[in-house]
Each structure stands twice: as C-alpha cells, then as structure tokens.
Amino acid sequence: MIRKIFLGLIVLIIGFFIYIAFQKGDFHYERSGVIAAAPEKVFPYLSHLQLASQWSPFEPAHSNMKKTYSGDDGHAGAAMDFDGDNKTGSGRIEILDVIENERVDLKLSMHKPIKAENTIRYTVAPVEGGTQFTWSMSGKSDFIGKLMSTIMNPEQFMGAQLEEGIHNLQNLLGSYYAEEAMNLSSKPTTVRWADKHYIFIERKGPFQLTARQSWDELSEVMAELTAQNKVLGAFSSYTGEPEKVYRAGVEVAAKPKTVPTGMQYERFRGGRYAKFTLTGSYRYLPAASEKAETYLETNKTAIRDSYYIENYISNPKETAEEKLVTEILIPIK
C-alpha cells in the first residue's frame, strides 16, 4: 500500500514537472497612462538611466542599491550595473535604441536572484491632456519562471509595478506643471543685468539631470569658495536647443585668483532682460520658465541669443519652501 502511494506521488510529481515544462514561456506585460506634460518634457525621464530613480518603483525603496553608470546616458550603449538586496537582486540595464520623443528600448539582464534577460520598451505619444506613456516588458520564462507563475500571477504582480511607475511619473511631472499652484508674476519688468564675476560648474544634457548634478557638486565646494572669495549671491545660467548647457554658480566680488577643481570663472556679460518673479518651490521652475518664455513670444518680444538666468533671492536653508523667491530673467533685444 505504501509502495503504491509512493509510486503515485512520484507519478504526480513527474506529471507536474511535465505540465510546468510545457507551459507557455513567452510573456509580455504592458500598462499605459496619460502624463500631464508634453512628450519632450516626459522623454528625458525615460531615456536617461540616471533620472529613473525619480520615478521608477524598482529604485526609491532600495536606496542602498549600488549603481555604476557607463556610456553616454540617453543614447544607445549607455548602461547601469546595479547590485541590491535579495529583493532587488543584481544585474544590468542597457539602452538599445532611442528615437527622440517617441521610444526607448532597453535590455534588462538579471544576475541574481535568478538569471534572466528581458526587453523593456517605453513609448510616448501626444494626446489631449499631455502624453500617452506606455511601458512594456517582454521575455522568456525558464523552468523556474514557469514554476513561479503557477504559484503567483506574474502578470498581475508586474502590471502593478508598471502602474506604480506610471503613477509616480504622473505625480512628478504633474507637480512641475500644475499652473494653479504656481505663483509667477503675470507680467515681466524690463531690467538691465550688470556684468558679474561668475564662478560656476557647467554641465551639458537635459536640465532634469544636469541641474541637480551641478548644484550637488557646487555644494561640496561652497566652503572652499566662501573661504577664498566674497560670495554675493547664487544664480544659474543656461541655454536651450540645440545644445543644452546648464551652469550652477555664484557671483563673487572680484576676479578670483584660483577656482576649485572642476569649476570655471568668467566675467559674465549682462544686458537687457525681461524679469519674472516666482514665489514658491524650486520644483515649479521648469514650468515657470516655459510660461515666461511663452508670454514673451505671444507678446512678440524678441529674445536675444544669450544665457537665461535664474537668480536665487532667498536662502533655501533659511526660507520656507513656499516663500522662496526666484527671479527668472530672459535675455531680450
């Protein structure tokens, strides 16, 4: 009797393994949502691996994840190697192809806890109300993957992760472009910006990435700057297309004898500017700058070819976020 039960169990186990082996190996998970921003505003967050931590559901909860970037971020060949805990695992994500403001293809290679290779695709398209963002993941399941799919519903689980990422991006960009919460002066005043002694860090690329990087790097040398110079204030200067250049810097009282490694000095040439004033969080600056530029274009004010300026009137260490004052200066003829 025991022998028959034992043999029966073996038959059941073998049958179960055969059943698992013949399960469909291909999978495709996909979710979509509308982001309240134009495709060109959404796309850098998808095409740049270093911006993914601002919205990806796979990164924020694992701040101890070790990440190493290589290649030209935002272009094919760029990659991020990551090593996290048992839940996150370790692996590599690489950009395969980028079609600007349309599509990004990536390859996800997992090393731990199990080995796997999946294809990820982000697509964006303009729709009423903003941008349709579609996030998909495709691949093949090995035997372990097929076995796990009989225990849990991977489509439901992964679908929830994709939905969370889309929701995070909606919240992130929605807060940037929520005009009802933006306290921006309705009309500009015309001012003449004087020449300045300017020490700065310069970076090229999407402002969503380079602005934060530049100010983080500047904060690391502020003690050295203030010890060697009389710092009068802080402002950023930037240019748009075709080459996005962002500078985070400080105005000093005189030409410096030396500058910290990685920084530059120039006599910043001023001129005539249209000045708008934003009161509130720095997160509104991208939308506020865009709104200010649109106002000038609508009113047929000629913009000259020079650096735009964000002049930070308030000290963020001493001022409540909702009371921060920033002057947005656009060069005009």
Side-chain angles (χ1 to χ4, degrees):
M1 182 66 180
I2 295 176
R3 179 182 175 84
K4 289 182 179 180
I5 294 174
F6 180 71
L7 290 173
L9 287 174
I10 292 177
V11 171
L12 285 174
I13 292 171
I14 293 174
F16 178 70
F17 283 164
I18 293 174
Y19 168 78
I20 296 298
F22 280 92
Q23 291 300 297
K24 184 178 179 181
D26 297 338
F27 65 82
H28 179 84
Y29 312 129
E30 183 175 304
R31 294 293 188 274
S32 296
V34 175
I35 312 295
E40 61 269 21
K41 305 300 180 184
V42 177
F43 198 75
Y45 290 93
L46 309 178
S47 61
H48 286 75
L49 299 173
Q50 295 183 62
L51 288 175
S53 61
Q54 296 188 37
W55 64 273
S56 171
F58 302 107
E59 291 196 43
H62 307 286
S63 57
N64 293 327
M65 181 191 294
K66 296 179 181 178
K67 294 178 284 187
T68 304
Y69 298 97
S70 58
D72 187 5
D73 199 8
H75 298 82
M80 180 186 80
D81 292 280
F82 60 91
D83 188 6
D85 56 24
N86 292 333
K87 185 176 181 180
T88 308
S90 64
R92 176 182 177 88
I93 186 165
E94 179 182 354
I95 299 176
L96 299 178
D97 189 30
V98 177
I99 299 178
E100 192 71 16
N101 297 328
E102 291 185 19
R103 191 186 78 221
V104 183
D105 290 331
L106 308 102
K107 180 174 73 174
L108 172 63
S109 302
M110 292 298 301
H111 306 323
K112 296 179 181 179
I114 59 174
K115 290 188 176 182
E117 283 199 359
N118 301 324
T119 300
I120 297 171
R121 171 167 286 185
Y122 303 138
T123 59
V124 297
V127 295
E128 184 177 354
T131 298
Q132 182 81 23
F133 168 38
T134 301
W135 182 2
S136 68
M137 179 181 291
S138 305
K140 292 182 178 294
S141 296
D142 59 11
F143 183 83
I144 298 298
K146 294 177 182 179
L147 177 62
M148 292 300 295
S149 68
T150 65
I151 301 172
M152 58 179 287
N153 185 335
E155 204 286 335
Q156 186 177 38
F157 174 78
M158 286 305 304
Q161 299 295 304
L162 304 186
E163 289 170 2
E164 182 182 347
I166 293 170
H167 181 69
N168 291 344
L169 198 55
Q170 287 170 332
N171 287 340
L172 175 67
L173 292 176
S175 67
Y176 287 171
Y177 294 94
E179 290 197 17
E180 66 275 8
M182 189 192 310
N183 186 1
L184 179 70
S185 55
S186 58
K187 294 182 180 180
T189 57
T190 301
V191 299
R192 184 159 291 278
W193 180 266
D195 293 354
K196 311 283 185 184
H197 293 289
Y198 191 38
I199 303 176
F200 58 91
I201 291 175
E202 180 178 288
R203 293 289 178 267
K204 296 178 181 179
F207 298 147
Q208 298 94 327
L209 179 63
T210 56
R212 175 177 291 189
Q213 287 179 337
S214 300
W215 286 108
D216 285 347
E217 292 175 29
L218 182 61
S219 66
E220 294 177 0
V221 296
M222 274 303 295
E224 182 180 351
L225 278 173
T226 54
Q228 298 177 354
N229 304 274
K230 182 179 180 181
V231 176
L232 302 179
F235 69 93
S236 62
S237 55
Y238 55 92
T239 61
E241 304 294 349
E243 185 176 46
K244 294 181 178 179
V245 177
Y246 187 91
R247 295 169 161 186
V250 294
E251 177 192 359
V252 293
K255 181 178 179 179
K257 294 180 180 179
T258 61
V259 296
T261 302
M263 300 195 72
Q264 302 177 53
Y265 163 80
E266 75 172 31
R267 182 68 168 163
F268 188 93
R269 300 302 176 185
R272 195 164 179 257
Y273 283 81
K275 183 183 75 174
F276 295 81
T277 301
L278 173 69
T279 303
S281 173
Y282 292 149
R283 71 175 182 270
Y284 296 121
L285 280 169
S289 298
E290 183 177 319
K291 187 175 181 180
E293 187 173 29
T294 299
Y295 176 92
L296 296 179
E297 292 172 349
T298 301
N299 287 273
K300 296 181 171 51
T301 302
I303 298 175
R304 60 187 171 87
D305 186 17
S306 186
Y307 283 95
Y308 288 40
I309 297 170
E310 288 175 1
N311 187 32
Y312 308 106
I313 304 300
S314 308
N315 184 339
K317 294 182 179 180
E318 302 173 354
T319 308
E321 185 178 29
E322 68 275 9
K323 294 183 179 180
L324 292 170
V325 176
T326 306
E327 294 176 345
I328 299 172
L329 298 111
I330 299 178
I332 57 175
K333 295 180 179 179

